C-alpha cells in the first residue's frame, strides 16, 4: 500500500480525495493539511467524515507520505511540488501550476512561475488522452474541470481532422468556484443563471486549445510536451444554481460533410475500452454522473446545417478534479485504473 497525504484537505477537492481514497485498497492515508483547521479533527471541516484524525501543517502531513495530492490554490504547487519530489515523493497537483508552458501560464493566470524548469518534468494527466506518459511519473498536472469535459468531447473530432471552427459553452455548479469563493451566496445564485469570463477571458480556454493542438500535432499517442500550435476557439462558461456538475456543449463546423452514423462510429472507435467514457444517443445529464468518475458524451449531427454538436457531462469534483487525480495515481503506480473509482453516480 502506498502512503498518501492530502494537502488542502479542507477544500472541496480535498474532501472528495478523502472520500475516494478512503475506500481505495492500495492506499493508506497518513496526513491531511489545512491552514484554517490545523490541529482540529477532520470532522470539524467535514461533518460527514467520522474521523478524529487531526489536520496538520504541511511538514507534519507529508512526513510519512510516499505520494502527495496537492489540492491547493494556484501559485503554491510551483514552489512546494519540486521540494517534495526532490525529497523522493510523487506529487499529483490539482492546481493549474504545471498544466501549461510557463509563459502561457503567466499570461493567463497572472502569476510569475517560480519553477519554470520543472514544467518539462511534469506529465499532464488527462488519462484517456495521455495515459502513455503517466506510468512512473514523479509530478502529474491534473487538468481543469471544464478542460476535461471539453477536451474529451472534442478529441475524436480532432483526431479525425473534423474540427474546424469550434465554439464551446459550458455550465457549472457552484462548487467549481471553491469553498471560499465570493459571489456564490444562496441569494445570489438561487434561481439565477449567468455567464462569466466570456470572450476568451477564462483561463481554461488556453488549456483546451493546448490539448487540441497537441492532438493535431501528434495524433492520439502524443507526448505531453511536444510542439503544438494552439488554434483559437471560443469558450464561455456559465454558473448555474446547482451544487456540482458540468455540462459542455461544443459546436463544430467540420471542413467536410459528415455522413449519418459516422459520428457514432468515430467516437466508439476512439474511446473503445475506456471504462469511464459513456457514449450514448441519450443526451447527457449532470445528475447521471453525480458522484462518479464518468464522462457522459453524446455526439450529434445537425443534418440541416452540417454542424456537429457534442454534449458532455461530468461531475466537476470527481472526473473534473479528485476522481481524475486518483485515476492518474492508479496509472502512475501501475494499479488497476479503476481502483477506488468504479461506483455509480448518485440519483436523486
Amino acid at each position: 500500500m502506498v502512503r498518501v497525504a492530502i494537502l488542502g484537505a479542507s477544500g472541496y477537492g480535498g474532501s472528495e480525495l478523502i472520500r475516494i481514497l478512503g475506500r481505495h485498497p492500495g492506499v493508506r492515508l497518513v496526513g491531511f493539511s489545512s491552514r484554517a483547521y490545523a490541529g482540529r479533527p477532520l470532522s470539524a471541516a467535514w461533518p460527514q467524515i467520522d474521523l478524529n484524525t487531526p489536520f496538520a501543517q504541511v511538514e507534519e502531513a507529508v512526513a510519512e507520505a510516499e505520494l502527495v495530492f496537492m489540492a491547493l490554490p494556484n501559485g503554491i504547487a510551483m514552489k512546494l511540488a519540486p521540494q517534495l519530489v526532490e525529497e523522493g515523493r510523487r506529487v499529483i497537483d490539482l492546481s493549474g501550476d504545471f498544466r501549461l508552458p510557463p509563459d502561457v501560464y503567466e499570461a493567463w493566470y497572472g502569476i510569475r512561475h517560480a519553477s519554470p524548469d520543472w514544467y518539462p518534468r511534469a506529465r499532464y494527466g488527462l488519462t484517456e488522452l495521455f495515459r502513455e506518459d503517466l506510468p512512473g511519473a514523479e509530478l502529474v498536472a491534473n487538468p481543469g474541470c471544464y478542460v476535461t469535459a471539453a477536451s474529451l468531447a472534442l478529441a475524436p473530432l480532432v483526431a479525425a481532422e473534423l474540427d474546424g471552427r469550434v465554439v464551446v459553452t459550458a455550465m457549472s455548479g457552484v462548487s467549481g468556484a471553491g469553498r471560499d469563493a465570493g459571489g456564490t451566496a444562496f441569494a445570489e445564485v438561487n434561481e439565477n443563471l449567468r455567464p462569466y469570463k466570456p470572450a476568451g477571458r477564462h483561463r481554461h480556454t488556453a488549456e483546451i486549445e493546448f490539448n487540441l493542438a497537441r492532438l493535431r500535432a501528434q495524433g492520439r499517442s502524443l507526448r505531453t510536451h511536444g510542439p503544438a500550435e494552439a488554434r483559437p476557439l471560443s469558450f464561455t462558461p456559465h454558473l448555474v444554481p446547482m451544487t456540482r456538475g458540468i455540462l459542455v456543449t461544443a459546436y463544430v463546423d467540420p471542413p467536410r460533410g459528415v455522413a449519418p452514423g459516422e459520428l457514432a462510429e468515430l467516437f466508439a472507435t476512439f474511446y473503445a475500452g475506456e471504462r469511464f467514457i459513456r457514449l450514448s444517443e441519450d443526451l447527457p445529464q449532470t445528475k447521471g454522473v453525480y458522484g462518479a468518475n464518468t464522462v457522459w458524451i453524446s455526439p450529434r449531427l445537425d443534418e440541416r446545417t452540417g454542424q456537429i454538436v457534442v454534449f458532455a457531462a461530468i461531475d466537476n469534483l470527481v472526473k473534473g478534479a479528485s476522481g481524475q487525480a486518483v485515476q492518474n495515481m492508479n496509472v502512475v503506480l501501475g494499479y488497476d485504473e479503476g481502483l477506488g473509482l468504479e461506483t455509480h453516480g448518485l440519483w436523486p
Side-chain angles (χ1 to χ4, degrees):
M1 297 180 70
V2 63
R3 300 187 301 275
V4 169
I6 302 170
L7 305 187
S10 60
Y12 291 141
S15 173
E16 283 296 284
L17 284 168
I18 295 169
R19 180 178 71 89
I20 295 168
L21 293 171
R23 62 174 181 255
H24 194 296
V27 165
R28 181 163 70 90
L29 292 172
V30 296
F32 311 88
S33 85
S34 170
R35 287 177 295 179
Y37 290 87
R40 302 172 67 185
L42 293 183
S43 57
W46 304 116
Q48 82 281 14
I49 298 175
D50 186 20
L51 289 175
N52 290 321
T53 306
F55 289 104
Q57 297 294 342
V58 169
E59 295 78 7
E60 183 182 354
V62 303
E64 297 181 49
E66 300 169 282
L67 186 146
V68 178
F69 288 93
M70 303 188 70
L72 298 168
N74 298 313
I76 298 177
M78 67 173 70
K79 302 173 183 177
L80 183 56
Q83 173 188 332
L84 295 173
V85 172
E86 287 178 344
E87 292 172 351
R89 301 179 179 92
R90 301 186 193 276
V91 172
I92 298 179
D93 174 31
L94 276 70
S95 80
D97 284 4
F98 295 99
R99 295 174 186 164
L100 294 166
D103 59 330
V104 180
Y105 174 88
E106 291 174 2
W108 284 86
Y109 283 75
I111 302 172
R112 184 172 179 80
H113 207 291
S115 305
D117 293 344
W118 277 78
Y119 170 73
R121 296 177 63 173
R123 291 293 172 260
Y124 186 77
L126 185 43
T127 323
E128 285 77 12
L129 301 182
F130 309 113
R131 181 180 288 110
E132 293 82 1
D133 283 340
L134 294 174
E138 57 187 0
L139 174 58
V140 176
N142 217 57
C145 51
Y146 282 127
V147 177
T148 294
S151 297
L152 292 174
L154 293 166
L157 301 178
V158 172
E161 299 183 345
L162 283 176
D163 61 313
R165 179 172 178 269
V166 177
V167 176
V168 178
T169 63
M171 299 185 181
S172 175
V174 179
S175 62
R179 196 173 195 183
D180 298 324
T184 57
F186 178 81
E188 299 290 334
V189 300
N190 184 48
E191 298 185 9
N192 193 14
L193 173 62
R194 67 175 187 260
Y196 65 100
K197 296 184 178 178
R201 292 177 55 207
H202 197 285
R203 58 185 52 161
H204 282 186
T205 304
E207 194 179 340
I208 299 169
E209 291 174 349
F210 202 70
N211 284 345
L212 302 185
R214 288 182 288 188
L215 283 168
R216 293 187 192 102
Q218 301 183 30
R220 195 170 193 270
S221 298
L222 53 113
R223 295 300 302 174
T224 302
H225 297 84
E229 182 178 349
R231 183 185 302 171
L233 57 79
S234 176
F235 171 62
T236 302
H238 299 73
L239 185 70
V240 297
M242 63 184 186
T243 301
R244 59 205 285 170
I246 283 178
L247 180 65
V248 159
T249 305
Y251 303 89
V252 179
D253 295 322
R256 62 169 177 81
V258 178
E262 184 178 351
L263 286 180
E265 182 179 353
L266 170 63
F267 276 72
T269 300
F270 189 88
Y271 286 125
E274 294 291 350
R275 68 180 76 184
F276 295 116
I277 302 292
R278 175 184 177 186
L279 299 175
S280 172
E281 292 186 3
D282 297 329
L283 293 176
Q285 304 177 51
T286 56
K287 201 71 171 178
V289 295
Y290 197 102
N293 200 53
T294 306
V295 187
W296 184 356
I297 300 175
S298 179
R300 298 290 183 94
L301 175 65
D302 185 337
E303 296 188 36
R304 186 178 66 87
T305 65
Q307 189 174 60
I308 298 170
V309 185
V310 186
F311 304 92
I314 64 170
D315 185 316
N316 59 292
L317 296 179
V318 186
K319 183 59 175 173
S322 300
Q324 183 149 255
V326 173
Q327 187 179 355
N328 286 326
M329 180 199 72
N330 287 338
V331 179
V332 167
L333 298 178
Y335 290 163
D336 180 273
E337 195 168 311
L339 280 185
L341 294 168
E342 291 185 318
T343 60
H344 297 296
L346 303 175
W347 192 301

